[in-house]
Amino acid sequence: MVLLQKKLLAGLALLLLVNLTGCWDSREVEQTGFVLGVGVDRGKEGSIVVIAQTVIPQPPGVGGNAAGGTMGQDTFHNWYSVGETMFDAVRNLTQKSPNRLFWSHNKIYIISEKLAREGLMDVMDFVERDPEFKQSAWILIAKENLEEIMNASSNMKQAPAQVLADIIDVRDRNSKYAVSSLGDFLQQLGSDKIQAYTAGVTFYQGLMEEQNTVALPNQEKPRAKELRVMDTAVFKQDKLVGWLNQEESRGLLWLQGKVKQGLLVLHMPNHKMVFEIFNSSTKLEPVIKEGQLIMKVKVKVSGNIGEMHPGTHMNEKHLQETEAIIAKTVTKQILSAVQRAQELNTDVLGFAAVVHRTYPKLWQQELAQQWSEIFPNLEVEVDVEGRVRGTGLITDPLQPK
């Protein structure tokens, strides 16, 4: 009996020991720098420049955080570092930051256009290898000076990385650029069936004046820089080779079945009309016709009339004309994306993946080796079906009496 009690006590002690050890890698919040955004650029003599954007903790009661302003106080700090490699530059941040940086909260990676055009493989290895770098973070290409983008703070004093993450969260509302997460981007870089792409970022002088600044007499107060996510950077292997504009980016999204919302401004014979997209679907079907490979694209799009020009009357004939122009507009966007991708000879459209799935043997035997010659001249047939589901709360626009 005594022996049994000793065994039970020993088991209980062991159980408590296991459960009361705590977290082995815990960190004190006060001693941690939470990284929200990372900028990467090429420095002098081939070095790598890293900018780590961290949150500045706000005093209790002022309601401040990375997502909101706080009585004019900065909510973020940019740490600059240079190294021979990406890892070396990141580790060199410890020479400047008093706190240990924590990267798993990172939301945005911004890479300079200069570095993207030179090639990304030597900076991507570390972020793919290190478990602290979150694969769900967004990757963007800086169309302007990287440092200015990382410092572009609106009057709300939000951290630029948080602003960009919030902008991307509502990307479906406009569907005017194609953005990739770090994980998707890395997969694209390692694939021979789709080339990599992601959105660009720039800034512009907003309408609001900067707070806490003083202008000289007869001089205007400087205006705050505001960020804008726009266009789509397209790569061939790991090098940026060009940009898709707004129309071409929409075409890319149509081809990938990623347009779920957004607007189409329709140019009717005598007026403009706005069609609000509610839903769409896309089907890609490669066929071989008389020995010629053809890519057939079929898109269905539906939505409501969101805005009409005064004096317009919607009837059955006008409805049919509208649906025809919807189809024509979407077709034009798709073909513009195809034309641009073929000009740059980079298959960001993912046609190779579809051909591989449809004709796996032919792909392995013949098409894979010839794809760079086939893709620029590939014939693409587009069939779009547009459907107007409604006209909102009214049928015809308001008529002044």
Side-chain angles (χ1 to χ4, degrees):
M1 187 64 181
V2 174
L3 181 61
L4 179 61
Q5 287 178 337
K6 287 183 177 179
K7 287 183 177 179
L8 288 173
L9 288 173
L12 181 61
L14 182 61
L15 184 64
L16 290 173
L17 184 65
V18 169
N19 286 281
L20 296 177
T21 53
C23 184
W24 65 273
D25 63 345
S26 65
R27 302 177 183 183
E28 298 297 332
V29 173
E30 298 81 3
Q31 298 173 351
T32 303
F34 291 94
V35 178
L36 275 185
V38 179
V40 187
D41 198 358
R42 178 72 73 190
K44 295 179 180 178
E45 300 178 352
S47 61
I48 297 296
V49 176
V50 170
I51 305 173
Q53 188 165 98
T54 58
V55 181
I56 298 177
Q58 301 299 303
V62 299
N65 52 50
T70 61
M71 301 170 61
Q73 300 180 34
D74 288 335
T75 58
F76 66 92
H77 181 84
N78 288 333
W79 301 94
Y80 292 77
S81 177
V82 180
E84 294 186 39
T85 68
M86 179 77 177
F87 193 9
D88 189 39
V90 167
R91 188 53 62 90
N92 286 342
L93 287 167
T94 58
Q95 294 178 303
K96 302 176 180 179
S97 172
N99 298 321
R100 183 175 177 181
L101 299 183
F102 186 67
W103 302 83
S104 295
H105 286 285
N106 184 38
K107 297 175 181 290
I108 296 288
Y109 293 92
I110 307 177
I111 295 173
S112 72
E113 181 170 351
K114 175 187 175 184
L115 178 57
R117 288 192 179 276
E118 292 178 2
L120 297 179
M121 295 311 291
D122 57 343
V123 298
M124 284 297 162
D125 180 81
F126 172 64
V127 296
E128 185 179 18
R129 192 180 299 275
D130 193 296
E132 267 200 60
F133 286 83
K134 198 168 59 173
Q135 304 282 301
S136 59
W138 300 108
I139 185 166
L140 298 170
I141 305 300
K143 300 192 75 172
E144 303 287 348
N145 182 279
L146 177 64
E147 293 182 15
E148 291 195 69
I149 289 174
M150 296 291 287
N151 280 301
S153 176
S154 67
N155 279 337
M156 295 300 292
K157 295 294 181 184
Q158 294 172 298
Q162 182 65 53
V163 173
L164 292 170
D166 290 344
I167 291 173
I168 294 173
D169 280 347
V170 295
R171 63 193 179 283
D172 287 343
R173 298 288 289 171
N174 59 71
S175 298
K176 291 183 176 178
Y177 57 86
V179 65
S180 295
S181 67
L182 176 63
D184 289 343
F185 191 78
L186 290 170
Q187 284 191 352
Q188 293 161 4
L189 286 178
S191 172
D192 61 346
K193 300 178 185 64
I194 186 170
Q195 297 295 321
Y197 64 86
T198 195
V201 56
T202 185
F203 65 89
Y204 62 97
Q205 299 291 334
L207 295 177
M208 303 294 288
E209 295 178 342
E210 284 190 359
Q211 293 180 351
N212 303 323
T213 57
V214 178
L216 296 174
N218 301 323
Q219 281 190 347
E220 291 186 1
K221 213 172 174 184
R223 291 183 293 164
K225 293 175 182 174
E226 298 184 5
L227 295 164
R228 182 182 181 190
V229 181
M230 61 181 294
D231 299 338
T232 302
V234 294
F235 290 73
K236 187 163 187 177
Q237 297 180 334
D238 68 323
K239 295 181 180 177
L240 172 70
V241 293
W243 292 89
L244 303 186
N245 62 24
Q246 187 170 290
E247 181 180 53
E248 294 158 353
S249 297
R250 174 69 69 83
L252 172 61
L253 292 171
W254 284 121
L255 287 165
Q256 299 197 338
K258 293 182 178 178
V259 179
K260 301 305 177 187
Q261 299 179 54
L263 304 179
L264 286 176
V265 179
L266 307 177
H267 294 266
M268 308 298 286
N270 300 312
H271 61 276
K272 292 180 183 176
M273 181 184 296
V274 177
F275 174 73
E276 185 176 8
I277 302 163
F278 283 169
N279 197 11
S280 74
S281 63
T282 301
K283 182 180 179 182
L284 303 181
E285 183 185 8
V287 297
I288 297 176
K289 188 176 180 181
E290 298 177 354
Q292 184 78 21
L293 181 66
I294 300 172
M295 180 63 70
K296 292 191 173 185
V297 180
K298 187 164 187 176
V299 174
K300 294 182 178 180
V301 53
S302 63
N304 272 5
I305 299 300
E307 191 175 11
M308 288 177 66
H309 191 272
T312 308
H313 175 61
M314 180 60 77
N315 52 29
E316 185 62 28
K317 181 183 176 184
H318 198 193
L319 184 65
Q320 292 177 358
E321 290 177 353
T322 302
E323 292 180 337
I325 292 182
I326 290 170
K328 182 179 177 182
T329 304
V330 174
T331 300
K332 183 171 179 288
Q333 292 175 345
I334 292 172
L335 290 178
S336 68
V338 171
Q339 182 180 356
R340 182 62 175 153
Q342 290 181 326
E343 286 174 357
L344 297 170
N345 194 10
T346 177
D347 186 7
V348 291
L349 313 175
F351 285 174
V354 183
V355 174
H356 176 236
R357 284 198 300 269
T358 309
Y359 303 106
K361 287 186 179 178
L362 186 60
W363 175 264
Q364 294 293 344
Q365 294 170 356
E366 185 177 339
L367 298 179
Q369 294 76 26
Q370 302 174 3
W371 191 247
S372 61
E373 290 81 37
I374 294 172
F375 176 74
N377 303 303
L378 181 66
E379 184 178 347
V380 180
E381 295 181 356
V382 181
D383 178 20
V384 179
E385 178 183 328
R387 183 186 169 205
V388 177
R389 291 168 47 184
T391 59
L393 296 178
I394 57 175
T395 303
D396 294 330
L398 182 65
Q399 299 293 338
K401 301 295 183 184

